[in-house]
Each structure stands twice: as structure tokens, then as C-alpha cells.
Amino acid sequence: MAFMETLLSLILLLSSALLLHSIVVHEGPKSITLSLIHPFSVHSPFYPGKNITDVEKINLLIQATESRMQHLFPTTTMRRQGSRNGSSKIDDIGTLVEFSGAYYLAKVGIGSFPPVPGPKWMSYLLIMDTGSHITWVQCEGCDPCLPLSQPNFPYRLSQSYRAIPCGHQDCPTTREDCFGSFCGFKIIYWDISGPSTKGTIVRETLTFLSDSSRGLTESYPNFFLGCGLQSHNHRFPPHNKAAGILGLGLGGHGTSPIWKQVDKKRFSYCLFISIQASSKLHIGEGARMVGPQVVSTPLMRGSNPSLYYVDLQDISIASFPLRLGRSLSGGCAIDTGAPITILVSNVYAHVRAFFVQYFAQFGIHPYGSGSRPGDVPYFDLCFPRPYGFNRFPTMTFHFRGANLVVQPNGVFAVGGNYICVALRSGATTMIGAFQQTNYRFSYDLELGDIGTLFFAPENCGASA
């Protein structure tokens, strides 16, 4: 049925699995826009075929969300810093991005290697992460290393490579983070036994490969780049393509996020629902939003300094406010890398109880531990679905000054025999990609104390 097809399209999208296709659309002078193609579309080089079941895809999303939470709330030893901004000659930039596992991979050029024929840089795929602020690539001489399907970055051969001595005024970290006699960084994800990477911080040239077929590029010299030399416990697959991290987060200890270093203070995205659709990612002036439906809410700081937070003041279901009050203190993160929305445990308990009450009026009661069929996703709250049932409520997130109204196909995972509430309980509150579809979000990092989040409903998809 159409509802199920739409739901599954959303679910496939929300495995952090968008693909930025290498078709560049010029919407005006000095503007670069990249097309987004769903990775499970037949037009995508990552089309996986039809062997995996719908429930297996949903369960992979749930596992990806749990891994994302472990990644975003680490113990980190990065130190606060001050960094120089890079210069900019155009208003908008973009990169070619593809999907690998549960990550967006952004293709960038690193270094300078003339007079080699062809590109004067080396191309690498970095995990595009709005929850991290430091950009690093695995470098030659690493031990131990991430598994990587291409050679590590040969920094010693790059003509634009500049080492920074430990304690030098240009070093954005303290002596405690030095790597030998050089300026260094050290990131520990999750806890002391979890994934970690450390190495040196160097000055290098970063090049955005916006459209390799047209030779359209933009380079930024003297970029603060992490050179990863020791990585432990990352558990990447043997033929891994990801060579490091492209940090698009708000900020934190260590180097400045990439948008600040290249002096681009605005970006926007619109997540679409159909595997036969495409959408756009804008970086720079093209991300500005205006119009009668556009609303805004101020960004705020939260427990993870790299994440974007807003003030979530209440939640409504089917237009009934839950009056959660102080249970929502501490802010709510907005993250495209988390497929599924997480609610802090006491808030989740209230939301769960309301959904149980809502479906009870139709004589529908949740599966118990003994009655749950094996072909139902691993969500905590699932119900048997009566034939033809379609009385699904909306869910509204009430931010300061703005409401995000999530339609039912962004709240529920629905199959022939089940209805699951697509939410998870956790240690923090974070709105994931599932609840962001068919809205355009724009992050303006110049307005307000920290920045302002603009959003409006939009039919994000166009025919691919």
C-alpha cells in the first residue's frame, strides 16, 4: 500500500544513507548546489538489491542510532582553542558525498602534489559528521591504523604540508595533547575502552571537489587538519572507504569546525521520502530561508559542544500537550546522523504512556514480551495492526518560538501486522532524521548568540 511504501522509503533514507550525486545545479552566480539521491534508489551505485527484508532494514536503523549515541557522547581529551578563519572567494561550496554503512562520506582533496598529471591533490572520503568539529584524515606511518581501501595520506610528500611544533602559538591544543614534539590531538569515543584516534595537527590545503566532471573546485590553504597516526577499536570493515572525519559540528575543544575555517556560516538540507526522488544540500548563501511558512528558534549550547541544540519546551500528540515542563530541561539536539529520535527516559515514559492510551481507544493494545511476533522490529513499543487501520496521530515538538509538526509517516514504522512507535529511550533527547523528513532546515550561525535554526515544510523530493 502507498502508506507502507512511503514509510519504507523514509526508513531506508534514515540509515544515515543519503547520497550526494555529482550533478551540480547552478541556481545563480557564485552558487553551488548538489543533488541528493537515495542510496537505495536503482539510480544509486550503492543500490543493495532486494534480498534484505523491510524489518531487517528497520533493525539496522535502530542499531545505527545506538551506535550514534555512543559516538556523540564520548569522554574526550580535546582542549579548547582559538583558530584562524580561512578566506573565501565564493558564496557557496559543496562536496561529492556517498554512502558507506551508516555514514555520509564527503569527498575532498587534501594536499598539494605538483607536477603530477591530473588533480594536484589526493582525494579522500571523510565521514561527514554534524556531531564532530575536528577534521582529520588517516596519515601514512599510522600504527595501529584503520582498515582503508586506499593508501593513507602521504603528508611528507605534500608541498602544502606544514608541521606545527608542540607549544607553538599556532597550535590549537595544549602541550598535554602533543604527539611527540608536534602539536597534537586525541579523541576518545564512548569510554576509555572505546574507539580512539590521536595524531598531529598540521596546516594543509583542503579542496572541495564540487564537480569533478567540470573541474569546479575551491581550495583553502592553511587549514587546521588532524593527521591520524594511532587508531584503536574503531571496528571498521576490512574494505572501509572512510579515511577520517569531516567535522561540521558547532564547535568544541580542539580545531575549529570546517564551516568556520572556510568562513561559511550557513548550511541547509531537506530530507526526502521517496527512493525515486532527489533533493538538495546548500552550503553558504544558498542556504538562506525566507517565506511565510519559515519559522525560527535560537540555537543553544548543550552537553556535547559539537552538537546543535534547541530549547524543546513541550511535546504534543494528536494536538494534546503532554505538559512535560522541567522534564525537558537541558536542551534537545538536532542531528541528521541519528536515524531515530531519542527521548530522555522520563520524557519517553510519558510519550509511551500517551501512545498506549491513544491506541487503547481503538481496542489496540501493545505486544507483550510473550506475544510479540518474530517479524516485528526491535522498537520498544509496538502494536498489532488491525486490517485497514489508519488513524495515526501527529507528533509536535514545541521549540521556543516554533513548532515542528511531524506527520504520522515520520512517527510510526508500519507493516502488515504491526505498528511501531519509531522512538527510543536514552540518556539525552535528540531529534533524528526520521522526524526531520519533508522539512527544510537551515542553520544560520551568525544570527543570535550562537546561531538560529530556520525550518519550514517542503516537498523535498523531485523526480530523480
Side-chain angles (χ1 to χ4, degrees):
M1 63 184 64
F3 183 89
M4 184 59 185
E5 291 175 357
T6 299
L7 203 291
L8 290 175
S9 296
L10 282 166
I11 290 169
L12 294 175
L13 167 68
L14 297 172
S15 60
S16 302
L18 286 173
L19 169 70
L20 278 178
H21 190 56
S22 58
I23 299 173
V24 176
V25 180
H26 294 271
E27 298 186 342
K30 300 181 179 180
S31 179
I32 299 176
T33 301
L34 301 182
S35 293
L36 294 162
I37 294 179
H38 197 294
F40 294 113
S41 165
V42 294
H43 301 288
S44 168
F46 302 102
Y47 178 61
K50 301 179 180 180
N51 292 332
I52 187 170
T53 69
D54 297 335
V55 172
E56 286 172 337
K57 292 168 185 174
I58 298 172
N59 290 337
L60 287 175
L61 292 187
I62 297 171
Q63 295 170 13
T65 300
E66 293 172 347
S67 297
R68 179 68 172 174
M69 294 300 291
Q70 294 168 357
H71 166 76
L72 288 175
F73 295 92
T75 301
T76 176
T77 57
M78 296 298 294
R79 302 295 184 225
R80 188 173 300 276
Q81 58 85 40
S83 160
R84 302 176 186 174
N85 288 339
S87 62
S88 173
K89 297 180 181 178
I90 60 175
D91 292 331
D92 295 82
I93 59 175
T95 66
L96 174 66
V97 176
E98 63 182 69
F99 174 65
S100 177
Y103 304 110
Y104 302 89
L105 294 179
K107 191 174 186 179
V108 299
I110 302 176
S112 303
F113 301 92
V116 178
K120 308 306 181 184
W121 54 81
M122 294 192 66
S123 297
Y124 287 93
L125 290 168
L126 306 181
I127 296 172
M128 187 174 65
D129 192 354
T130 58
S132 298
H133 60 278
I134 186 170
T135 296
W136 62 269
V137 65
Q138 182 160 272
C139 286
E140 191 175 69
C142 56
D143 183 21
C145 308
L146 300 173
L148 189 58
S149 59
Q150 70 180 99
N152 298 313
F153 177 59
Y155 63 95
R156 295 182 183 92
L157 300 179
S158 172
Q159 294 186 5
S160 53
Y161 164 80
R162 298 290 182 271
I164 304 174
C166 176
H168 191 275
Q169 62 180 5
D170 282 351
C171 181
T173 56
T174 67
R175 287 182 176 272
E176 296 175 6
D177 290 318
C178 285
F179 192 88
S181 59
F182 296 99
C183 177
F185 73 99
K186 181 165 54 179
I187 302 175
I188 302 174
Y189 303 98
W190 193 1
D191 58 31
I192 60 174
S193 63
S196 65
T197 295
K198 62 181 179 179
T200 62
I201 292 176
V202 304
R203 291 281 199 176
E204 237 327 340
T205 295
L206 194 71
T207 300
F208 288 89
L209 314 177
S210 298
D211 184 3
S212 57
S213 66
R214 299 182 184 179
L216 188 61
T217 63
E218 186 75 6
S219 295
Y220 295 87
N222 296 317
F223 186 89
F224 278 121
L225 177 72
C227 191
L229 293 170
Q230 292 182 4
S231 290
H232 299 268
N233 302 324
H234 279 273
R235 299 183 180 90
F236 281 14
H239 301 291
N240 165 54
K241 292 183 178 181
I245 298 289
L246 188 73
L248 295 172
L250 182 61
H253 304 310
T255 65
S256 291
I258 190 170
W259 55 264
K260 181 175 288 188
Q261 291 203 55
V262 302
D263 200 23
K264 305 295 183 187
K265 302 297 179 61
R266 189 179 291 111
F267 66 90
S268 74
Y269 56 81
C270 191
L271 304 184
F272 51 95
I273 65 174
S274 172
I275 63 175
Q276 303 300 327
S278 64
S279 188
K280 312 293 182 185
L281 170 73
H282 303 271
I283 303 176
E285 287 303 305
R288 188 184 299 274
M289 288 183 67
V290 294
Q293 291 185 295
V294 176
V295 294
S296 66
T297 186
L299 293 170
M300 57 183 288
R301 297 198 184 279
S303 59
N304 185 316
S306 289
L307 281 170
Y308 299 95
Y309 287 83
V310 293
D311 182 12
L312 177 60
Q313 298 181 334
D314 201 5
I315 295 173
S316 294
I317 300 173
S319 300
F320 290 95
L322 301 188
R323 306 193 187 283
L324 298 171
R326 295 181 181 179
S327 298
L328 292 168
S329 62
C332 168
I334 305 286
D335 183 41
T336 58
I340 306 299
T341 289
I342 302 290
L343 299 178
V344 70
S345 56
N346 57 337
V347 171
Y348 177 81
H350 285 284
V351 171
R352 188 188 194 280
F354 190 94
F355 278 122
V356 170
Q357 179 182 352
Y358 174 86
F359 284 102
Q361 68 181 315
F362 304 106
I364 304 172
H365 303 284
Y367 285 120
S369 58
S371 62
R372 187 187 188 101
D375 60 347
V376 172
Y378 295 150
F379 285 113
D380 168 64
L381 183 59
C382 293
F383 304 83
R385 184 189 182 193
Y387 178 78
F389 180 84
N390 62 0
R391 300 284 295 274
F392 298 101
T394 60
M395 183 174 183
T396 301
F397 295 91
H398 300 281
F399 303 135
R400 188 195 311 173
N403 295 329
L404 175 64
V405 181
V406 182
Q407 298 302 314
N409 59 5
V411 181
F412 302 97
V414 181
N417 65 328
Y418 62 82
I419 302 166
C420 291
V421 179
L423 301 170
R424 302 284 286 175
S425 176
T428 190
T429 296
M430 175 184 294
I431 296 179
F434 197 8
Q435 280 70 34
Q436 295 181 49
T437 50
N438 273 354
Y439 271 85
R440 179 165 295 281
F441 290 84
S442 176
Y443 296 75
D444 190 316
L445 303 167
E446 290 185 313
L447 294 180
D449 293 339
I450 298 174
T452 301
L453 176 66
F454 293 82
F455 58 92
E458 182 174 321
N459 182 9
C460 302
S463 179

